[in-house]
Amino acid sequence: MQRIIIATKNAHKTGEFRAMLGSGYEVVDLTAFPELPAAEETGATFEENSAIKALHAAARFPGWVLADDSGLEVDALGGAPGVISARYSGEGATDASNRERLIDELRKLEGDSFSARFRCVLSVAEGDRVLGTWSGAVEGVIVPQERGSGGFGYDPLFIPNGESATFAELPGEVKNRLSHRARAFAAFREWLSACECST
Ligand code: ITT
């Protein structure tokens, strides 16, 4: 069985990668290494933070590591929360407190649905080198009331274009087909199958 290290402490992301990879892979994330300090996400873009996380883990583990930096951009908020999606509500932020802040910000505006997209940038690093970077996005709208209990993060507020349900209401298989992460991951897999290398 092939082993893949995902440089994340977000078990929801790992679960989605595990589902997208299918059987045949042993997927390990950083929750298995609680002593490992978190990478400092000081980048101004998803690309920079994805590379920071991949290199931070690759310095500590042999072989390849895959990192995911992702977030939500709401047009009416000038692209916020963007790269600070995980920390939108400040110190001690949780998914619930971040959603609450987003709803508060949107209630200050006119309208009841707001164009938005999720973005994901994946990086693979080995040692001190980033071997590749792949991006994916999914367009949709944000509604300012929570719907559904699946997924994580902003999923209960996000309806992807072409659907009438939020990512938290849609089955996981649907999210894992349409999502920003699925799209970035498909690009990564295409690269993987073209390059004569293995993890
Ligand atoms: P790691 O850095 O350990 O990977 P993290 O959750 O802090 O975990 P990010 O810095 O990439 O990861 O922040 C991503 C945030 O964007 C995440 O906490 C969610 O709030 C949001 N997000 C990303 N992908 C999402 C998705 O598929 N569904 C809902 N929200 C998502």
Side-chain angles (χ1 to χ4, degrees):
M1 191 179 278
Q2 219 168 351
R3 190 172 203 243
I4 295 199
I5 297 184
I6 317 271
T8 183
K9 291 201 174 187
N10 182 329
H12 297 283
K13 287 184 183 177
T14 310
E16 292 185 5
F17 285 118
R18 203 170 267 135
M20 291 189 282
L21 278 159
S23 56
Y25 291 87
E26 183 197 359
V27 180
V28 178
D29 70 15
L30 302 185
T31 59
F33 306 94
E35 70 289 354
L36 189 72
E40 285 194 38
E41 296 184 39
T42 51
T45 62
F46 295 117
E47 283 77 7
E48 285 171 15
N49 283 334
S50 181
I52 288 171
K53 288 191 262 193
L55 289 168
H56 178 260
R60 290 156 176 88
F61 298 99
W64 288 15
V65 300
L66 177 71
D68 166 313
D69 198 63
S70 44
L72 176 73
E73 294 174 347
V74 182
D75 294 324
L77 299 175
V83 290
I84 61 149
S85 290
R87 323 182 280 278
Y88 193 40
S89 55
E91 188 88 3
T94 62
D95 283 356
S97 68
N98 288 332
R99 289 194 296 270
E100 208 175 302
R101 161 125 198 241
L102 182 62
I103 291 169
D104 287 347
E105 297 297 331
L106 293 175
R107 289 213 170 119
K108 296 175 192 161
L109 306 175
E110 300 264 307
D112 54 14
S113 92
F114 302 88
S115 62
R117 70 206 52 76
F118 276 122
R119 284 194 194 282
C120 174
V121 176
L122 298 179
S123 301
V124 166
E126 182 174 27
D128 59 2
R129 259 184 356 122
V130 175
L131 306 182
T133 301
W134 305 271
S135 317
V138 56
E139 298 285 333
V141 295
I142 288 288
V143 289
Q145 61 281 317
E146 298 195 11
R147 287 168 43 182
S149 55
F152 70 100
Y154 300 94
D155 281 345
L157 303 175
F158 183 83
I159 301 177
N161 285 352
E163 300 287 338
S164 52
T166 66
F167 266 161
E169 293 175 307
L170 290 165
E173 309 87 80
V174 176
K175 180 181 177 192
N176 288 339
R177 198 157 30 78
L178 301 179
S179 81
H180 50 315
R181 185 161 296 108
R183 288 174 179 167
F185 192 70
F188 160 63
R189 285 198 102 164
E190 205 171 301
W191 174 84
L192 193 59
S193 60
C195 102
E196 288 178 5
C197 43
S198 66
T199 53

